[in-house]
Amino acid sequence: MKERFRPYEAAEPVASLFRARQLQAVLRLTPLTMVANALNVGLILLTFHAGGHALFLLFWSLAIAGVVVLGVRAWLRLRSRPTWLSASPRALRRATHHAALLGALWAALPLALFPDSDGPGQLLIATITTGMMCAGGFALATTPAAGTAYVLIVGLGAALSLFLADFPLALPVGALLLIYMMIVVASVWSTARLFGARLMAEAEAARQNELIGLLLRDFEENASDLLWEIDAQGRLCHVTPRLAALFAIPIDQLATLPVFELLERKLPADDEFAAEHLSALRLHAAGRVPFRDQMLAVVQGRRTHWWSLSAKPLVDANGRHAGWRGVASDVTEAQQANRQLNWMAHFDALTGLANRHQFRSQLEQLLTPAFGEMVPFAVLGMDLDHFKIVNDTHGHAAGDALLQEVARRLQACTRRSDTVARLGGDEFAVILRDVSSRAEADLLTRRLLDGVQLPCEVQGAHVVARISIGVAMAPKDGTAIDVLLNNADLALYAAKSAGRGDFRFFAPQMAAVTRRRLAVEQALRGALQRQELSLHFQPQVSLGDWRVKGFEALLRWTHPELGAVPPGEFVPVAEECGLIGEIGAWVVKQACLEAMQWPAGLTVAVNVSPVQAMSHELCRSVEAALQASGLPAVALELEITESVFLNETQATMQVLHALQALGLRIALDDFGTGYSSLAYLRRFPFDTLKIDRSFVLELLSRRDARAIVKTIVSLARTLDMKIVAEGVEDAAQAEMLQRYDCDSVQGYWLARPMTPPQVLEFLALWPAQLERPVAGGDATAAMPLEAGG
């Protein structure tokens, strides 16, 4: 029930603030009410001073004056303390007492003067009393207790004076007066409740504002986002410490700078991407429409920060543009991740070169330009020669280091306008722009080839980086991406087939060669399982005693559709497609099994691919072949070529020493060609040197060939090595080799490669089938035995 007589419900200290606001509202009207009191007192004294109530009027006017003085003093205190934020319940009670006292003084006036006054005097008293009652109720409306006390006292006093006076209309006028009094009281309470509701609303708003302020401060201090606002002149408003720290400018200076001038200062240097985003932000600001997630780059210290801006325009009361307000989110990590992903989508992670996707995109732009005609250019397809050997012998880390070194050399040897890309694995490609002739492309390609093919050291290993290159010219060799790349690949295959380490231009007939190679590769994959591979054997004969010392095993392949495929064609394919290990293991095993069918004392020599020779698997396969066949290790000789030493490592020498430790013999095949080095003979003690057939072929016609053969034989004798000359085709060559003290020979003059059954037939007929050469005499060139049938 008590709550109905309260203008608001509030707990301390909010109630204390409300009481202060109530009293402040009353005191603001104090000067006006005190002036009204003084004027009305003066009017009463002027009208009734001549009557018989002089003493009453004296004391009454003095009492009113005292109340006026108290009210003025309270008003002066309010002015001297404008931040009056609390008031006690006692202060409200004093105000109520003060109002009741003032009401009693004005109620005493009609009681004392109304009965004895004439008509005009009564009218004046009634008018002043009613006016003071209503005016006091209005002035005290924010303090309902004081207002109610004042109105009731004045109204009841006036009504009582009517009833006590001999007034003809006392009853109806008194009733009206009481009704007016109640209306004023109700108005006081209505106004008080409205005032209380406003106080409650303001307090709630203040609480909400305080909460929002706390949240904003916490947001500014702890969140990664920033709140920002600029005025109509483009200057920052409400600059926070974080914003000042971001720009490294004091707050007072920051608020005076135009924001776009500030952003230009903080723009990353030489970053077109960031400049484009700043230009987009300018367009948004000029358009005065809301925007979201506009990127912006700002340099802070030595690091570039990326921000995502969202904002809406502000308008003033007249609808005019008043600036912008929005939020800035730090998206630096996301932007860096996005840039990294974008970089990875267009560049090779290992070498930093353009990747296949970007390479094809640039080709598409060159082949279909947006404006004008297509400008001629050249496409170079390339890969590293024998890269698998580097990976297998030195490890993938060394292979990656070699790819990185090749990438650096390719970039160093090309022009700034050219594009170098890594397409995958050891495949690279180059776009030579503005190249209209083969002569120009030849010059640039040769410079690139020479620049890459230099010795280098990777992961502590000495490696020679050799590449083969295929060149296709656009638009001559194609106007579509896949056609152009395919033709460059065809030229690359031609370069590799021609001996590697060189380049070839595309020619239409290369398509047939490539189709043949692909057919060979496809057919070779099942050749072992289909038993299409076989071994033929060519004898090696000692010139000293004219005795067959052994046979060299030669691999042959006959396919139902391709026919007899020569080793020079299918062995490189086997090396490139990874089949050489499996095929090589079969050759060693099969050769050992066949050699067990021969008479004791004969040896079998097996050629080993450079790819095999670099792998420890060779040792395991040889050891397994010897155990499976029962052949003594001394009866097996492995022939390796000098190309094994191109990328020589400690692992290479370990493989060779492990093979020699098994008890078998190691021969250096084709000595004197390609990459001969006496250092090979010092680092590894070979058992046999084989003189290449190219020297034997020119032995009778060229003096330098004879000098080379003589030197090789002398070197082998000095190093205690055996000598085998291959490719001997007539008795004169054999006689010359015998003069030079060569140990053994093999070739068509002795016999062509033969099947295993023919080997036994050959041994049964030897040596009657061929006249032995006589050193120092004229050898008769007899017809060689066609062992192959």
Side-chain angles (χ1 to χ4, degrees), residues 267-280 294-297 304 306 335-336 338-339 342:
L267 193 68
D270 300 325
D271 192 330
E272 296 181 1
F273 187 64
E276 289 176 3
H277 282 297
L278 181 58
S279 298
Q294 172 58 50
M295 302 299 293
L296 179 68
T304 298
W306 283 90
Q335 181 67 12
Q336 288 176 344
N338 183 60
R339 281 195 161 190
N342 185 65

PDB file of all heavy atoms in Angstrom, residues 267-280 294-297 304 306 335-336 338-339 342:
ATOM      1  N   LEU A 267      50.963   3.603 -46.118  1.00  0.00           N
ATOM      2  CA  LEU A 267      50.789   2.612 -47.162  1.00  0.00           C
ATOM      3  C   LEU A 267      52.118   1.889 -47.418  1.00  0.00           C
ATOM      4  O   LEU A 267      53.163   2.530 -47.502  1.00  0.00           O
ATOM      5  CB  LEU A 267      50.309   3.282 -48.445  1.00  0.00           C
ATOM      6  CG  LEU A 267      49.777   2.366 -49.553  1.00  0.00           C
ATOM      7  CD1 LEU A 267      48.471   1.728 -49.097  1.00  0.00           C
ATOM      8  CD2 LEU A 267      49.557   3.150 -50.826  1.00  0.00           C
ATOM      9  N   PRO A 268      52.129   0.543 -47.528  1.00  0.00           N
ATOM     10  CA  PRO A 268      53.377  -0.177 -47.824  1.00  0.00           C
ATOM     11  C   PRO A 268      53.974   0.287 -49.149  1.00  0.00           C
ATOM     12  O   PRO A 268      53.256   0.482 -50.135  1.00  0.00           O
ATOM     13  CB  PRO A 268      52.930  -1.642 -47.901  1.00  0.00           C
ATOM     14  CG  PRO A 268      51.640  -1.693 -47.158  1.00  0.00           C
ATOM     15  CD  PRO A 268      50.984  -0.361 -47.367  1.00  0.00           C
ATOM     16  N   ALA A 269      55.271   0.455 -49.163  1.00  0.00           N
ATOM     17  CA  ALA A 269      55.948   0.927 -50.368  1.00  0.00           C
ATOM     18  C   ALA A 269      55.967  -0.159 -51.443  1.00  0.00           C
ATOM     19  O   ALA A 269      56.118  -1.346 -51.139  1.00  0.00           O
ATOM     20  CB  ALA A 269      57.381   1.351 -50.024  1.00  0.00           C
ATOM     21  N   ASP A 270      55.768   0.257 -52.686  1.00  0.00           N
ATOM     22  CA  ASP A 270      55.859  -0.633 -53.853  1.00  0.00           C
ATOM     23  C   ASP A 270      54.916  -1.836 -53.742  1.00  0.00           C
ATOM     24  O   ASP A 270      55.255  -2.955 -54.141  1.00  0.00           O
ATOM     25  CB  ASP A 270      57.304  -1.127 -54.039  1.00  0.00           C
ATOM     26  CG  ASP A 270      58.279   0.015 -54.250  1.00  0.00           C
ATOM     27  OD1 ASP A 270      57.877   1.009 -54.883  1.00  0.00           O
ATOM     28  OD2 ASP A 270      59.419  -0.087 -53.774  1.00  0.00           O
ATOM     29  N   ASP A 271      53.742  -1.603 -53.191  1.00  0.00           N
ATOM     30  CA  ASP A 271      52.744  -2.668 -53.080  1.00  0.00           C
ATOM     31  C   ASP A 271      51.499  -2.234 -53.846  1.00  0.00           C
ATOM     32  O   ASP A 271      50.652  -1.501 -53.333  1.00  0.00           O
ATOM     33  CB  ASP A 271      52.401  -2.946 -51.612  1.00  0.00           C
ATOM     34  CG  ASP A 271      51.600  -4.239 -51.448  1.00  0.00           C
ATOM     35  OD1 ASP A 271      50.855  -4.598 -52.377  1.00  0.00           O
ATOM     36  OD2 ASP A 271      51.720  -4.880 -50.387  1.00  0.00           O
ATOM     37  N   GLU A 272      51.422  -2.657 -55.109  1.00  0.00           N
ATOM     38  CA  GLU A 272      50.292  -2.255 -55.947  1.00  0.00           C
ATOM     39  C   GLU A 272      48.971  -2.800 -55.407  1.00  0.00           C
ATOM     40  O   GLU A 272      47.932  -2.149 -55.504  1.00  0.00           O
ATOM     41  CB  GLU A 272      50.511  -2.756 -57.382  1.00  0.00           C
ATOM     42  CG  GLU A 272      51.726  -2.131 -58.064  1.00  0.00           C
ATOM     43  CD  GLU A 272      51.890  -2.623 -59.491  1.00  0.00           C
ATOM     44  OE1 GLU A 272      51.047  -3.431 -59.921  1.00  0.00           O
ATOM     45  OE2 GLU A 272      52.848  -2.208 -60.158  1.00  0.00           O
ATOM     46  N   PHE A 273      49.030  -3.980 -54.812  1.00  0.00           N
ATOM     47  CA  PHE A 273      47.822  -4.581 -54.258  1.00  0.00           C
ATOM     48  C   PHE A 273      47.239  -3.699 -53.156  1.00  0.00           C
ATOM     49  O   PHE A 273      46.034  -3.440 -53.115  1.00  0.00           O
ATOM     50  CB  PHE A 273      48.171  -5.968 -53.719  1.00  0.00           C
ATOM     51  CG  PHE A 273      46.995  -6.776 -53.267  1.00  0.00           C
ATOM     52  CD1 PHE A 273      46.022  -7.167 -54.162  1.00  0.00           C
ATOM     53  CD2 PHE A 273      46.874  -7.153 -51.938  1.00  0.00           C
ATOM     54  CE1 PHE A 273      44.943  -7.927 -53.742  1.00  0.00           C
ATOM     55  CE2 PHE A 273      45.803  -7.907 -51.514  1.00  0.00           C
ATOM     56  CZ  PHE A 273      44.838  -8.299 -52.423  1.00  0.00           C
ATOM     57  N   ALA A 274      48.100  -3.195 -52.253  1.00  0.00           N
ATOM     58  CA  ALA A 274      47.645  -2.328 -51.165  1.00  0.00           C
ATOM     59  C   ALA A 274      47.150  -0.987 -51.705  1.00  0.00           C
ATOM     60  O   ALA A 274      46.160  -0.435 -51.209  1.00  0.00           O
ATOM     61  CB  ALA A 274      48.783  -2.113 -50.166  1.00  0.00           C
ATOM     62  N   ALA A 275      47.823  -0.451 -52.722  1.00  0.00           N
ATOM     63  CA  ALA A 275      47.392   0.824 -53.307  1.00  0.00           C
ATOM     64  C   ALA A 275      46.019   0.696 -53.952  1.00  0.00           C
ATOM     65  O   ALA A 275      45.191   1.612 -53.877  1.00  0.00           O
ATOM     66  CB  ALA A 275      48.428   1.291 -54.333  1.00  0.00           C
ATOM     67  N   GLU A 276      45.746  -0.433 -54.576  1.00  0.00           N
ATOM     68  CA  GLU A 276      44.425  -0.644 -55.184  1.00  0.00           C
ATOM     69  C   GLU A 276      43.331  -0.643 -54.118  1.00  0.00           C
ATOM     70  O   GLU A 276      42.244  -0.090 -54.323  1.00  0.00           O
ATOM     71  CB  GLU A 276      44.415  -1.972 -55.938  1.00  0.00           C
ATOM     72  CG  GLU A 276      45.252  -1.961 -57.217  1.00  0.00           C
ATOM     73  CD  GLU A 276      45.304  -3.325 -57.877  1.00  0.00           C
ATOM     74  OE1 GLU A 276      44.636  -4.245 -57.350  1.00  0.00           O
ATOM     75  OE2 GLU A 276      45.995  -3.471 -58.894  1.00  0.00           O
ATOM     76  N   HIS A 277      43.601  -1.239 -52.975  1.00  0.00           N
ATOM     77  CA  HIS A 277      42.598  -1.272 -51.911  1.00  0.00           C
ATOM     78  C   HIS A 277      42.352   0.122 -51.333  1.00  0.00           C
ATOM     79  O   HIS A 277      41.216   0.455 -50.969  1.00  0.00           O
ATOM     80  CB  HIS A 277      43.041  -2.229 -50.809  1.00  0.00           C
ATOM     81  CG  HIS A 277      42.826  -3.674 -51.156  1.00  0.00           C
ATOM     82  ND1 HIS A 277      41.575  -4.205 -51.380  1.00  0.00           N
ATOM     83  CD2 HIS A 277      43.690  -4.699 -51.327  1.00  0.00           C
ATOM     84  CE1 HIS A 277      41.676  -5.488 -51.661  1.00  0.00           C
ATOM     85  NE2 HIS A 277      42.953  -5.815 -51.649  1.00  0.00           N
ATOM     86  N   LEU A 278      43.398   0.941 -51.224  1.00  0.00           N
ATOM     87  CA  LEU A 278      43.205   2.302 -50.741  1.00  0.00           C
ATOM     88  C   LEU A 278      42.375   3.106 -51.732  1.00  0.00           C
ATOM     89  O   LEU A 278      41.497   3.894 -51.331  1.00  0.00           O
ATOM     90  CB  LEU A 278      44.571   2.974 -50.507  1.00  0.00           C
ATOM     91  CG  LEU A 278      44.510   4.419 -49.976  1.00  0.00           C
ATOM     92  CD1 LEU A 278      43.747   4.480 -48.661  1.00  0.00           C
ATOM     93  CD2 LEU A 278      45.927   4.976 -49.802  1.00  0.00           C
ATOM     94  N   SER A 279      42.595   2.923 -53.019  1.00  0.00           N
ATOM     95  CA  SER A 279      41.787   3.613 -54.028  1.00  0.00           C
ATOM     96  C   SER A 279      40.326   3.176 -53.938  1.00  0.00           C
ATOM     97  O   SER A 279      39.407   3.998 -54.067  1.00  0.00           O
ATOM     98  CB  SER A 279      42.338   3.296 -55.429  1.00  0.00           C
ATOM     99  OG  SER A 279      43.665   3.756 -55.561  1.00  0.00           O
ATOM    100  N   ALA A 280      40.099   1.887 -53.674  1.00  0.00           N
ATOM    101  CA  ALA A 280      38.724   1.403 -53.522  1.00  0.00           C
ATOM    102  C   ALA A 280      38.058   2.032 -52.308  1.00  0.00           C
ATOM    103  O   ALA A 280      36.866   2.367 -52.342  1.00  0.00           O
ATOM    104  CB  ALA A 280      38.726  -0.122 -53.403  1.00  0.00           C
ATOM    105  N   GLN A 294      36.088  -4.007 -46.583  1.00  0.00           N
ATOM    106  CA  GLN A 294      37.033  -3.362 -47.494  1.00  0.00           C
ATOM    107  C   GLN A 294      38.431  -3.489 -46.908  1.00  0.00           C
ATOM    108  O   GLN A 294      38.687  -3.066 -45.781  1.00  0.00           O
ATOM    109  CB  GLN A 294      36.675  -1.889 -47.687  1.00  0.00           C
ATOM    110  CG  GLN A 294      37.711  -1.093 -48.477  1.00  0.00           C
ATOM    111  CD  GLN A 294      37.947  -1.665 -49.858  1.00  0.00           C
ATOM    112  OE1 GLN A 294      37.003  -1.916 -50.589  1.00  0.00           O
ATOM    113  NE2 GLN A 294      39.194  -1.879 -50.212  1.00  0.00           N
ATOM    114  N   MET A 295      39.356  -4.106 -47.672  1.00  0.00           N
ATOM    115  CA  MET A 295      40.708  -4.344 -47.171  1.00  0.00           C
ATOM    116  C   MET A 295      41.534  -3.067 -47.199  1.00  0.00           C
ATOM    117  O   MET A 295      41.368  -2.217 -48.073  1.00  0.00           O
ATOM    118  CB  MET A 295      41.389  -5.420 -48.000  1.00  0.00           C
ATOM    119  CG  MET A 295      40.648  -6.752 -48.036  1.00  0.00           C
ATOM    120  SD  MET A 295      40.471  -7.472 -46.404  1.00  0.00           S
ATOM    121  CE  MET A 295      42.177  -7.824 -46.036  1.00  0.00           C
ATOM    122  N   LEU A 296      42.439  -2.958 -46.211  1.00  0.00           N
ATOM    123  CA  LEU A 296      43.331  -1.801 -46.115  1.00  0.00           C
ATOM    124  C   LEU A 296      44.637  -2.253 -45.473  1.00  0.00           C
ATOM    125  O   LEU A 296      44.627  -2.984 -44.476  1.00  0.00           O
ATOM    126  CB  LEU A 296      42.682  -0.693 -45.277  1.00  0.00           C
ATOM    127  CG  LEU A 296      43.522   0.574 -45.087  1.00  0.00           C
ATOM    128  CD1 LEU A 296      43.668   1.320 -46.407  1.00  0.00           C
ATOM    129  CD2 LEU A 296      42.882   1.490 -44.062  1.00  0.00           C
ATOM    130  N   ALA A 297      45.765  -1.817 -46.055  1.00  0.00           N
ATOM    131  CA  ALA A 297      47.089  -2.167 -45.525  1.00  0.00           C
ATOM    132  C   ALA A 297      47.702  -0.957 -44.835  1.00  0.00           C
ATOM    133  O   ALA A 297      47.665   0.156 -45.363  1.00  0.00           O
ATOM    134  CB  ALA A 297      48.003  -2.647 -46.649  1.00  0.00           C
ATOM    135  N   THR A 304      53.641  -5.073 -42.008  1.00  0.00           N
ATOM    136  CA  THR A 304      52.412  -4.592 -42.650  1.00  0.00           C
ATOM    137  C   THR A 304      51.218  -5.286 -42.014  1.00  0.00           C
ATOM    138  O   THR A 304      51.175  -6.520 -41.952  1.00  0.00           O
ATOM    139  CB  THR A 304      52.437  -4.873 -44.159  1.00  0.00           C
ATOM    140  OG1 THR A 304      53.524  -4.166 -44.746  1.00  0.00           O
ATOM    141  CG2 THR A 304      51.134  -4.418 -44.805  1.00  0.00           C
ATOM    142  N   TRP A 306      47.077  -5.825 -42.086  1.00  0.00           N
ATOM    143  CA  TRP A 306      45.917  -5.749 -42.969  1.00  0.00           C
ATOM    144  C   TRP A 306      44.660  -5.641 -42.122  1.00  0.00           C
ATOM    145  O   TRP A 306      44.486  -6.364 -41.151  1.00  0.00           O
ATOM    146  CB  TRP A 306      45.847  -6.977 -43.871  1.00  0.00           C
ATOM    147  CG  TRP A 306      46.816  -6.911 -45.004  1.00  0.00           C
ATOM    148  CD1 TRP A 306      48.099  -7.362 -45.031  1.00  0.00           C
ATOM    149  CD2 TRP A 306      46.586  -6.325 -46.289  1.00  0.00           C
ATOM    150  NE1 TRP A 306      48.683  -7.110 -46.234  1.00  0.00           N
ATOM    151  CE2 TRP A 306      47.781  -6.471 -47.037  1.00  0.00           C
ATOM    152  CE3 TRP A 306      45.492  -5.694 -46.879  1.00  0.00           C
ATOM    153  CZ2 TRP A 306      47.903  -6.013 -48.338  1.00  0.00           C
ATOM    154  CZ3 TRP A 306      45.613  -5.240 -48.177  1.00  0.00           C
ATOM    155  CH2 TRP A 306      46.808  -5.394 -48.898  1.00  0.00           C
ATOM    156  N   GLN A 335      45.031 -12.604 -44.004  1.00  0.00           N
ATOM    157  CA  GLN A 335      45.483 -12.074 -45.282  1.00  0.00           C
ATOM    158  C   GLN A 335      46.803 -12.725 -45.700  1.00  0.00           C
ATOM    159  O   GLN A 335      47.002 -13.067 -46.870  1.00  0.00           O
ATOM    160  CB  GLN A 335      45.653 -10.552 -45.190  1.00  0.00           C
ATOM    161  CG  GLN A 335      46.107  -9.885 -46.473  1.00  0.00           C
ATOM    162  CD  GLN A 335      45.064  -9.948 -47.565  1.00  0.00           C
ATOM    163  OE1 GLN A 335      43.909 -10.288 -47.303  1.00  0.00           O
ATOM    164  NE2 GLN A 335      45.441  -9.616 -48.772  1.00  0.00           N
ATOM    165  N   GLN A 336      47.700 -12.891 -44.724  1.00  0.00           N
ATOM    166  CA  GLN A 336      48.972 -13.542 -45.039  1.00  0.00           C
ATOM    167  C   GLN A 336      48.749 -14.992 -45.465  1.00  0.00           C
ATOM    168  O   GLN A 336      49.391 -15.488 -46.393  1.00  0.00           O
ATOM    169  CB  GLN A 336      49.904 -13.474 -43.826  1.00  0.00           C
ATOM    170  CG  GLN A 336      50.444 -12.081 -43.557  1.00  0.00           C
ATOM    171  CD  GLN A 336      51.287 -12.024 -42.302  1.00  0.00           C
ATOM    172  OE1 GLN A 336      51.240 -12.925 -41.463  1.00  0.00           O
ATOM    173  NE2 GLN A 336      52.056 -10.967 -42.138  1.00  0.00           N
ATOM    174  N   ASN A 338      46.022 -16.102 -46.815  1.00  0.00           N
ATOM    175  CA  ASN A 338      45.394 -16.046 -48.132  1.00  0.00           C
ATOM    176  C   ASN A 338      46.439 -15.778 -49.219  1.00  0.00           C
ATOM    177  O   ASN A 338      46.409 -16.392 -50.290  1.00  0.00           O
ATOM    178  CB  ASN A 338      44.329 -14.958 -48.141  1.00  0.00           C
ATOM    179  CG  ASN A 338      43.583 -14.899 -49.460  1.00  0.00           C
ATOM    180  OD1 ASN A 338      42.958 -15.858 -49.870  1.00  0.00           O
ATOM    181  ND2 ASN A 338      43.650 -13.754 -50.125  1.00  0.00           N
ATOM    182  N   ARG A 339      47.349 -14.847 -48.916  1.00  0.00           N
ATOM    183  CA  ARG A 339      48.415 -14.576 -49.881  1.00  0.00           C
ATOM    184  C   ARG A 339      49.308 -15.795 -50.078  1.00  0.00           C
ATOM    185  O   ARG A 339      49.753 -16.077 -51.193  1.00  0.00           O
ATOM    186  CB  ARG A 339      49.253 -13.385 -49.415  1.00  0.00           C
ATOM    187  CG  ARG A 339      48.630 -12.030 -49.687  1.00  0.00           C
ATOM    188  CD  ARG A 339      49.652 -10.924 -49.533  1.00  0.00           C
ATOM    189  NE  ARG A 339      49.224  -9.711 -50.186  1.00  0.00           N
ATOM    190  CZ  ARG A 339      50.001  -8.655 -50.378  1.00  0.00           C
ATOM    191  NH1 ARG A 339      51.245  -8.672 -49.963  1.00  0.00           N
ATOM    192  NH2 ARG A 339      49.549  -7.578 -50.988  1.00  0.00           N
ATOM    193  N   ASN A 342      47.449 -18.137 -52.192  1.00  0.00           N
ATOM    194  CA  ASN A 342      47.451 -17.633 -53.560  1.00  0.00           C
ATOM    195  C   ASN A 342      48.815 -17.842 -54.221  1.00  0.00           C
ATOM    196  O   ASN A 342      48.907 -18.198 -55.398  1.00  0.00           O
ATOM    197  CB  ASN A 342      47.082 -16.148 -53.555  1.00  0.00           C
ATOM    198  CG  ASN A 342      46.953 -15.579 -54.951  1.00  0.00           C
ATOM    199  OD1 ASN A 342      46.078 -15.960 -55.717  1.00  0.00           O
ATOM    200  ND2 ASN A 342      47.829 -14.648 -55.298  1.00  0.00           N
TER     201      ASN A 342
END
